[in-house]
Amino acid sequence: MGRLVMGRSPGLVAAVVAVAAWAGACSSPRCGLVACDIRAPACQQRLAEVTACLREAPVEAVPVRVISLEQYLTEVDVSVRSQTTELRFGRLAQGLSLFAFAPAQLTLTDAVAEQAWAAALYDPDKHAITIIDRGEPMDSHWQVALLIHEYVHALQGKRGVADFDGPTDRDLGASAALEGEAVLVEDLAELELFAASADDVKWSEVFGKWQGRSVQRMVQESAPLLVADQHFVYPFGTPLVHHTWKNGGWAAVDALTATPPASSRQVLAGAGAPEPAGGPWTEPMDTEPIPALAPSFELLVVDELGAWMLEIFLDRLEYDLARRGASNVAYHPLDNRALAARLRADRFAVQDDPTATSAVTSWRLRFDGADGAQRLLDWLAPRVPPFLRAWRQDRDVLLVASNREALVASFGPALPWKAPPAPMPMPRLHAGHPVR
Amino acid sequence: MGSVAHLRRGIAAGPALVLLLASAAAAQEPEPRLGSGPAALAGLGYSTGGGVGLGLAWYQRLGQRPFYVAPHLGAGVKALQSPELSAHGWCAGAWFVYGHRHRVLLSADYGVFRHESLSLHGSFVAWRAIQGPQLGLGYEWVRANGFVFQLVPVFAYPVRGVHSSFERKIDYLVNIYAGWKIW
């Protein structure tokens, strides 16, 4: 039959074959991805295979459980309360509020409730994925991509890429690589569902707008320190990994995630960028990093916040002044990035005296040179509120604030400093790698 | 043509309006063009976003009564939320029309009636067309100079391009057309 038709009308047959090939190319995505309800085991199995195909990696069998939002929030609550208490968290919030990093009235219950945005997560300790079921079908393109995102984390777990649990800034740097890889594959999956090519996307515009919005949100968030990861690791990690992938393929991404950026500053500098001053991306804080206060003070947190949070802190000061009409300088996001990019090390600490409800919050910032420190000091001088004092010691800027006027009066170069007994990072309000 | 001009909801009184207008307005002007012939139309409207389009139809009169079957073909564009993306669509089908100047119109079409857009991190980067059969009952007005106006509420059922249960919903659209019956 085929020969007969060929003999009679080869042109027609060629056209039919060409149309069939075109139709096949359009309707059959490269990895065979089709939307399905991610709560169904068959769908999960299929998406594990698609993830492996997109990521060009072996298929990884990962247990998947589906739980209700109520159960998820209960689990988050239990996890968070194993790290801190309502009372202690309230004292911490009081200290964070002195740098406008959280409202003084923020409760642990409210902070946990903020985690209701998660739709799924990968738990590296259990090497398992959890899907949060809100009682409705989960077969939209973004929900399919969501499960693929979590399967990428499972592949990372299989590769032995460690989930970093330490100072905030190092966590931001490492998580940016891990989440960036997961979002990259997630994006490729969504494009495949729309039969679109990654080559047709104006990625620099997409990422630029995304980052701009993230900065704006951080500037306007009531508790920016508690959501810093949400607004940093995705919008800044994804371009980092995307650039790495475009230039070196998945092998380069493997290398990036195996040796991730050490700080948010390194992520902000971009893929493969050298340290601006030719030095290390981070350096140890070899001087006493927290104020030595009266023995009645208890240390609640000592953490490294890094360049991203410094940028946000400066942006928020400027935004707040502009909003209150107290400054004739228009607020421009990103103006402070160059200054923050010179930060080499920092220690942020909250101490309080529970008997007197006195909180003292300090931030010691070390720059790559004394001129960088002086520049920050000059910038801060007309902008800091009266309960916050700032001064310079060589390459360091020291910021100390308190809710007690008498204490503020004692802050200055004569204030003694000491080493903390042990690292005490901020409590983590979520487990694993959640995604919306 | 049916796919490119959609006005959505809010005109639920469409069929009632059809009957009212068809029964009213006794002919005060010369008879419209009642024979068979082609028509060119332009449309606009709204479904999940505004759209404009062009179409061609052939009005075939059947018998002595003013009953027409009009096969038609149309194409158009729809502006999504992002100016960089302009989705397009097509539609083909037939209108079954009865009446002199004010007419009842039944439309049976197949084509694109909705677009799903892909937003990556807040930016629109791609779109996908949803196709399916569309059935409508509406009103057509034809003037002596050949001017044609249609208002057609339509129900559309997605069968192709659907990925999720959320997208598998019946759409209610309203199409508005204006054009000329050429002879």
Side-chain angles (χ1 to χ4, degrees), chain A residues 353-431:
Chain A
D353 179 351
T355 58
T357 61
S358 302
V360 173
T361 304
S362 59
W363 200 1
R364 185 167 191 140
L365 302 150
R366 177 160 301 165
F367 287 83
D368 56 4
D371 62 319
Q374 187 60 46
R375 198 175 141 209
L376 174 62
L377 202 60
D378 294 342
W379 189 96
L380 287 170
R383 294 176 171 90
V384 291
F387 55 83
L388 194 154
R389 292 286 169 88
W391 66 98
R392 182 173 73 84
Q393 284 182 2
D394 191 23
R395 292 192 291 142
D396 292 4
V397 171
L398 301 100
L399 304 173
V400 187
S402 177
N403 58 348
R404 292 280 171 258
E405 273 185 41
L407 283 171
V408 175
S410 69
F411 297 155
L415 183 70
W417 291 67
K418 66 175 185 179
M424 298 177 68
M426 299 285 299
R428 300 186 79 177
L429 295 178
H430 53 72

Side-chain angles (χ1 to χ4, degrees), chain A residues 35 137 139 187 190 193-194 213, chain B residues 116 118 120-122 163-165:
Chain A
D139 58 358
D187 287 350
E190 290 204 76
L193 279 173
F194 277 74
R213 281 194 302 274
Chain B
E116 294 293 329
L118 173 61
L120 288 182
H121 319 303
H163 282 182
S164 69
S165 52

Side-chain angles (χ1 to χ4, degrees), chain A residues 82-431:
Chain A
S82 70
Q83 303 172 60
T84 188
T85 63
E86 192 81 61
L87 182 62
R88 194 177 174 88
F89 188 83
R91 291 162 56 195
L92 175 61
Q94 175 70 46
L96 295 178
S97 72
L98 296 171
F99 278 69
F101 283 155
Q105 302 78 19
L106 184 69
T107 66
L108 187 57
T109 303
D110 291 340
V112 169
E114 287 290 311
Q115 301 304 307
W117 54 264
L121 64 95
Y122 168 72
D123 185 340
D125 296 330
K126 297 174 182 167
H127 190 49
I129 291 170
T130 299
I131 294 170
I132 298 151
D133 183 1
R134 287 169 167 80
E136 295 173 351
M138 298 181 75
D139 58 358
S140 68
H141 63 83
W142 67 267
Q143 285 166 320
V144 167
L146 163 82
L147 184 55
I148 286 175
H149 177 115
E150 299 304 347
Y151 274 123
V152 175
H153 286 314
L155 291 173
Q156 291 167 342
K158 180 72 173 178
R159 294 205 304 270
V161 175
D163 184 43
F164 191 80
D165 191 9
T168 293
D169 190 40
R170 293 190 208 177
D171 188 29
L172 291 176
S175 295
L178 299 181
E179 296 297 348
E181 180 191 359
V183 174
L184 168 59
V185 180
E186 180 186 339
D187 287 350
L188 296 177
E190 290 204 76
L191 287 166
E192 189 164 308
L193 279 173
F194 277 74
S197 168
D199 295 334
D200 296 334
V201 178
K202 296 172 183 169
W203 290 105
S204 59
E205 284 183 24
V206 171
F207 293 147
K209 289 178 184 173
W210 191 17
Q211 291 174 349
R213 281 194 302 274
S214 295
V215 171
Q216 286 285 4
R217 284 183 188 164
M218 281 292 280
V219 167
Q220 294 170 18
E221 279 281 355
S222 60
L225 190 52
L226 303 181
V227 293
D229 52 350
Q230 283 179 47
H231 296 308
F232 181 80
V233 299
Y234 303 102
F236 292 91
T238 305
L240 175 79
V241 176
H242 195 103
H243 188 270
T244 303
W245 171 68
K246 289 291 281 184
N247 289 288
W250 292 115
V253 175
D254 286 348
L256 176 70
T257 51
T259 314
S263 65
S264 58
R265 186 168 78 108
Q266 193 174 349
V267 175
L268 290 167
E275 202 276 339
W281 283 106
T282 59
E283 63 178 68
M285 184 70 87
D286 52 6
T287 47
E288 291 80 11
I290 65 171
L293 304 171
S296 56
F297 276 85
E298 185 183 350
L299 180 63
L300 298 178
V301 153
V302 57
D303 201 354
E304 299 168 26
L305 301 188
W308 162 249
M309 282 311 302
L310 175 58
E311 177 186 331
I312 295 302
F313 171 68
L314 302 179
D315 283 349
R316 286 171 68 89
L317 274 179
E318 200 158 9
Y319 175 77
D320 188 53
L321 288 173
R323 189 173 56 87
R324 290 189 285 113
S327 166
N328 56 7
V329 179
Y331 162 68
H332 294 293
L334 305 182
D335 276 1
N336 300 309
R337 182 160 299 170
L339 180 53
R342 299 185 63 181
L343 186 71
R344 284 270 180 84
D346 72 294
R347 289 294 184 280
F348 177 87
V350 177
Q351 304 178 71
D352 87 335
D353 179 351
T355 58
T357 61
S358 302
V360 173
T361 304
S362 59
W363 200 1
R364 185 167 191 140
L365 302 150
R366 177 160 301 165
F367 287 83
D368 56 4
D371 62 319
Q374 187 60 46
R375 198 175 141 209
L376 174 62
L377 202 60
D378 294 342
W379 189 96
L380 287 170
R383 294 176 171 90
V384 291
F387 55 83
L388 194 154
R389 292 286 169 88
W391 66 98
R392 182 173 73 84
Q393 284 182 2
D394 191 23
R395 292 192 291 142
D396 292 4
V397 171
L398 301 100
L399 304 173
V400 187
S402 177
N403 58 348
R404 292 280 171 258
E405 273 185 41
L407 283 171
V408 175
S410 69
F411 297 155
L415 183 70
W417 291 67
K418 66 175 185 179
M424 298 177 68
M426 299 285 299
R428 300 186 79 177
L429 295 178
H430 53 72

